[in-house]
Amino acid sequence: MQNAEKKVLGVSSEEVKIESYRLKGGEHGPISSLKELDEYEGELLAAGIDPEEKGRSGSFLQQDHSVVFAKSLIPGLEILSTEEAIKKHSWLDEYLWNIVPADKDIYTKEVAERPTQGYFLRAEKGTKITLPLQSCLFISKDKIRQNVHNIVIAEENSELNIITGCTVAHTVSEALHLGISEFYVKKNAKITFTMVHNWSGGVDVRPRSATLIEDNGVFISNYIFMTPVKSLQMYPTAICAGENSRASFQSIIYAHGNTNIDSGSRIVLQGKGSRGEIISRAIATDDARIIAKGDLVGEAENVRGHLECRGLMLSDSSMIESIPELKARRKNIDLSHEAAVGKIAEEEIRYLMARGFTEDEAVGMIIRGFLSIDIKGLPEGLARETKKMFDMTLEKVM
Amino acid sequence: MLEIQNLSVEVGGKRILNDLNLHIGEGEVHVLFGANGSGKTTLFLTILGFPGYNVVEGKIYFKGVDITEFNTTDRVKLGMGVSFQHPPEIRGVKLGDVVEQLLERRGGGDAKALARKLNLSEEFLSRDLNLGFSGGEVKRSEILQLLAQNPDFFMFDEPDSGVDVENVELLGKITNEMLERDRRPSERQKSALIISHIGYILNYIKADRAHVLLDGRIACSGITEEIYNHILNEGFEGCVAKCGKEGVRCEF
């Protein structure tokens, strides 16, 4: 496993030289409107951020090392920088480094020792906020390292819908993004987290995230990746600790250029009757390399989990490794997986051409279709936004 | 509409069609019979311009244009439309989206109304193309796409195979409308070539002429009923016995 990772990524995850990226020179003053960042409008839009804040319940924007904008538009919704939240809520200690261990690896250690902000998002008890909030972690300075620590809490009976974008200015040739995220879904609460990564070919990315879900809680994660990256390695974990809790990960990955991605999702089913679903679609073209992992762990009675990985190869110099894992630790359990990697079937292209589409149009339709997984459980507005983001990024790469 | 002259086709280096001639005029519907392996599908895919079907001799003219070297897209854009027997499943590509795009190409139209004509629900339009479709659903989806395309020349590959009676009747009715069979012969502009093994569809669609394909060439041509009855009574063998002599094309 370790060997495979090394071989694939060329640079193994342990080999990103953290010190070669700087911690200084990433400070910015606050802004009073997202529109002030008009020179980066393209970058923000590509990450799902609407500078006008239309149809949003609030916004958060961190530029390099500074939180330049954090505003909630709805009572019961808190949007703060992590630093401020720690000052405000003394109880937050229990949430920091609780489900992501600080000593997990060199990246968590780095963020624990030298944090540079991050977001704190919280829906108060009973507050259902279906309007999405938008958060953005933005790198605008070259050769910088961003060490963010994010905390997201949906208190009991609350709902939180988040569009989050990680994006980088076109002028940045190299950078490192380390992102720790800890999500807490309390009893009967729900978090929908839609994340767009809009990196560029010189950026190393190491997110480390975990979610803890209590009784009847629901966590839905949608992930969209369509621009190149130097290397990305992540394995977000959702722990369905509560009875009848639910977790779902859906990811869409279109890797081109020299992109190296080692990405997976893990769901640990610890609560009686909990359910988990992992769906991923990965396309590799040019010299891109993708490892698509999925891990379902069943540790309680009557749990059910399904994992579906599909990969599409568009070039002979790209690579996809699909690694689904199922781990059952009880007898009354139902875990399943399906994985498939292939190329676009010639007969599908011919069929569409026989309807008058050109070969390029046909290929485009098939790729678009392959990537368009049904995004379930999203409020209408968020579903529309997600589709818009998806269409926009796809438009750009094809 | 379609003029095939001295067509010889090789697939994988093997000669399948041999000096084949066929003329389908404007407003005419022709049916092509033939046993399995006689070259029906090869002819169908050669007219459509699929790669791998190498024209080694002869020409195909469509609307007076030599399309022998055209790719599939360009042929279709000239006004050709096809219904496949076994269309591939395309995951994630919605039938409704394809129909919408076909309609857009000719300036718009109502996909749902077309679907209703074929007893297809709105929900059906949101399904992935051919994924898990029943035999009848495949045929209706193919006809739906043809309705949206509205070509001048239609090709149907085994439109009656694997379809229950009720569906064949419905498909026959819609196809007749689509091919303007309800108009007087002189007013018809749509042409078609129907490839059929069993000819069941002919109970519902009146074809002007029929041909029997034998060993890669058209062995007999004539009035549909006569040829059809001959095949029904004596099988393709009977037709072979009557018309099978090398190089002789017999008229019924």
Side-chain angles (χ1 to χ4, degrees):
Chain A
M1 214 35 254
Q2 283 299 323
N3 283 341
E5 270 172 39
K6 265 188 187 151
K7 199 171 68 199
V8 168
L9 287 170
V11 184
S12 105
S13 52
E14 298 305 318
E15 284 169 37
V16 172
K17 289 199 180 68
I18 297 175
E19 303 74 32
S20 66
Y21 299 98
R22 61 198 165 95
L23 266 177
K24 293 216 166 61
E27 286 74 36
H28 304 271
I31 53 173
S32 55
S33 157
L34 292 176
K35 283 185 276 192
E36 288 175 38
L37 291 171
D38 56 350
E39 66 175 304
Y40 302 119
E41 197 189 355
E43 284 90 337
L44 298 186
L45 285 173
I49 304 305
D50 180 3
E52 309 253 0
E53 297 189 80
K54 250 187 263 157
R56 302 287 195 256
S57 54
S59 300
F60 173 96
L61 194 138
Q62 172 165 348
Q63 186 175 4
D64 302 315
H65 298 139
S66 305
V67 174
V68 296
F69 193 82
K71 190 172 79 181
S72 163
L73 299 168
I74 279 185
L77 170 65
E78 263 189 287
I79 301 179
L80 298 169
S81 73
T82 305
E83 203 175 284
E84 238 178 292
I86 292 169
K87 275 186 221 151
K88 188 177 167 190
H89 301 301
S90 56
W91 47 261
L92 203 55
D93 266 359
E94 289 172 34
Y95 292 81
L96 284 164
W97 301 112
N98 177 33
I99 44 177
V100 176
D103 60 357
K104 184 183 161 74
D105 58 27
I106 58 167
Y107 308 109
T108 56
K109 279 180 200 154
E110 165 68 15
V111 177
E113 283 165 27
R114 285 172 283 273
T116 60
Q117 301 287 354
Y119 51 74
F120 171 79
L121 312 171
R122 175 170 172 256
E124 287 174 10
K125 210 168 168 176
T127 315
K128 293 199 191 313
I129 307 149
T130 49
L131 213 56
L133 72 85
Q134 56 183 5
S135 66
C136 179
L137 299 166
F138 177 44
I139 296 178
S140 67
K141 296 275 190 211
D142 206 19
K143 298 195 170 53
I144 215 157
R145 69 195 202 243
Q146 201 177 42
N147 297 347
V148 299
H149 191 160
N150 309 312
I151 303 285
V152 181
I153 303 171
E155 299 286 0
E156 284 184 23
N157 295 305
S158 73
E159 184 174 340
L160 204 48
N161 289 285
I162 303 160
I163 294 175
T164 188
C166 294
T167 188
V168 57
H170 56 273
T171 47
V172 171
S173 62
E174 279 178 274
L176 171 65
H177 172 86
L178 304 178
I180 312 300
S181 300
E182 295 181 273
F183 296 85
Y184 294 89
V185 184
K186 301 294 182 70
K187 276 183 191 166
N188 303 311
K190 181 178 177 184
I191 293 179
T192 306
F193 184 72
T194 300
M195 177 159 79
V196 181
H197 270 172
N198 182 50
W199 303 114
S200 65
V203 184
D204 286 306
V205 184
R206 296 290 182 275
R208 296 290 180 261
S209 63
T211 306
L212 187 67
I213 310 157
E214 295 183 4
D215 292 357
N216 301 309
V218 178
F219 178 69
I220 297 171
S221 158
N222 299 303
Y223 177 61
I224 301 173
F225 174 101
M226 294 203 192
T227 51
V229 73
K230 186 171 161 200
S231 78
L232 164 71
Q233 197 254 319
M234 64 176 187
Y235 212 150
T237 298
I239 304 154
C240 286
E243 273 189 33
N244 297 314
S245 52
R246 306 261 185 281
S248 150
F249 284 100
Q250 307 199 70
S251 33
I252 295 168
I253 293 171
Y254 184 99
H256 53 125
N258 291 308
T259 291
N260 272 317
I261 299 183
D262 174 358
S263 155
S265 311
R266 176 183 291 119
I267 299 176
V268 184
L269 301 161
Q270 287 177 346
K272 236 194 236 171
S274 56
R275 305 266 183 274
E277 185 181 52
I278 298 170
I279 297 175
S280 77
R281 298 280 185 270
I283 292 188
T285 185
D286 303 334
D287 297 318
R289 288 157 177 265
I290 303 174
I291 303 179
K293 291 180 195 160
D295 189 13
L296 285 171
V297 187
E299 298 182 343
E301 287 294 311
N302 200 23
V303 301
R304 198 191 301 161
H306 182 65
L307 198 160
E308 184 189 307
C309 297
R310 287 182 189 278
L312 193 61
M313 296 288 294
L314 298 184
S315 79
D316 285 330
S317 48
S318 58
M319 193 214 73
I320 294 179
E321 258 182 49
S322 179
I323 309 170
E325 289 181 74
L326 306 178
K327 291 163 192 152
R329 307 221 162 93
R330 283 287 181 284
K331 76 173 184 258
N332 191 7
I333 238 168
D334 177 6
L335 301 178
S336 59
H337 81 72
E338 42 181 323
V341 181
K343 60 166 182 147
I344 295 184
E346 189 69 16
E347 63 163 351
E348 294 178 15
I349 299 172
R350 297 293 153 217
Y351 179 73
L352 292 172
M353 286 177 74
R355 296 276 175 254
F357 298 103
T358 65
E359 187 164 354
D360 285 350
E361 284 169 344
V363 168
M365 287 165 80
I366 294 166
I367 289 179
R368 183 177 281 267
F370 176 85
L371 290 176
S372 69
I373 49 182
D374 288 323
I375 296 166
K376 288 170 232 148
L378 263 64
E380 200 191 315
L382 183 57
R384 206 176 39 237
E385 286 298 306
T386 308
K387 191 173 180 312
K388 211 167 79 187
M389 259 175 330
F390 169 73
D391 286 346
M392 204 167 61
T393 35
L394 197 61
E395 209 91 322
K396 226 166 50 183
V397 297
M398 286 181 43
Chain B
M1 183 69 71
L2 184 77
E3 175 80 42
I4 297 177
Q5 291 176 356
N6 308 105
L7 184 72
S8 294
V9 173
E10 284 183 3
V11 180
K14 193 170 170 245
R15 180 74 61 109
I16 307 288
L17 299 180
N18 223 339
D19 199 23
L20 184 143
N21 290 283
L22 181 67
H23 171 85
I24 300 176
E26 191 176 292
E28 290 178 9
V29 172
H30 289 215
V31 60
L32 183 73
F33 296 116
N36 287 331
S38 59
K40 297 193 300 289
T41 300
T42 297
L43 177 60
F44 178 90
L45 296 177
T46 304
I47 295 172
L48 199 51
F50 269 30
Y53 295 83
N54 301 319
V55 175
V56 288
E57 252 173 278
K59 295 274 182 211
I60 304 172
Y61 294 93
F62 180 51
K63 294 181 172 177
V65 180
D66 179 357
I67 59 163
T68 318
E69 302 297 324
F70 279 31
N71 71 22
T72 301
T73 311
D74 291 340
R75 293 178 194 216
V76 172
K77 282 190 170 156
L78 260 185
M80 222 180 249
V82 290
S83 152
F84 288 93
Q85 187 186 2
H86 299 295
E89 296 178 342
I90 309 183
R91 209 174 271 277
V93 176
K94 309 286 179 212
L95 171 62
D97 290 345
V98 172
V99 172
E100 295 279 357
Q101 290 188 59
L102 295 175
L103 284 169
E104 251 168 56
R105 208 184 283 157
R106 41 184 278 231
D110 186 352
K112 286 172 200 158
L114 290 184
R116 271 197 300 275
K117 264 179 115 166
L118 286 154
N119 276 342
L120 293 171
S121 64
E122 208 169 301
E123 184 270 327
F124 190 79
L125 289 176
S126 66
R127 284 176 63 180
D128 291 355
L129 214 49
N130 305 316
L131 192 69
F133 285 13
S134 71
E137 285 171 341
V138 163
K139 302 297 179 206
R140 283 185 284 162
S141 145
E142 291 291 297
I143 299 298
L144 175 65
Q145 294 174 63
L146 281 178
L147 279 174
Q149 254 181 289
N150 190 29
D152 301 314
F153 173 66
F154 296 75
M155 283 199 291
F156 302 90
D157 191 8
E158 305 283 1
D160 45 10
S161 71
V163 190
D164 54 58
V165 180
E166 211 174 304
N167 269 317
V168 173
E169 216 177 311
L170 173 71
L171 291 173
K173 183 178 156 278
I174 303 286
T175 308
N176 269 324
E177 275 175 39
M178 206 161 60
L179 297 177
E180 302 173 336
R181 300 312 278 175
D182 47 353
R183 296 193 192 178
R184 285 160 47 179
S186 59
E187 291 169 349
R188 295 174 190 158
Q189 290 175 322
K190 305 284 187 188
S191 310
L193 178 64
I194 301 169
I195 290 177
S196 182
H197 181 67
I198 50 173
Y200 190 41
I201 192 79
L202 296 175
N203 291 318
Y204 304 96
I205 301 171
K206 296 287 163 256
D208 301 302
R209 262 180 97 70
H211 311 274
V212 177
L213 195 62
L214 179 72
D215 296 334
R217 64 186 189 88
I218 287 179
C220 345
S221 300
I223 296 163
T224 309
E225 284 78 13
E226 286 184 26
I227 292 205
Y228 185 42
N229 288 334
H230 196 84
I231 294 170
L232 277 185
N233 294 332
E234 309 190 25
F236 289 112
E237 294 79 8
C239 189
V240 174
K242 184 165 160 48
C243 302
K245 286 174 228 121
E246 190 69 35
V248 180
R249 176 166 176 175
C250 79
E251 284 283 331
F252 269 63

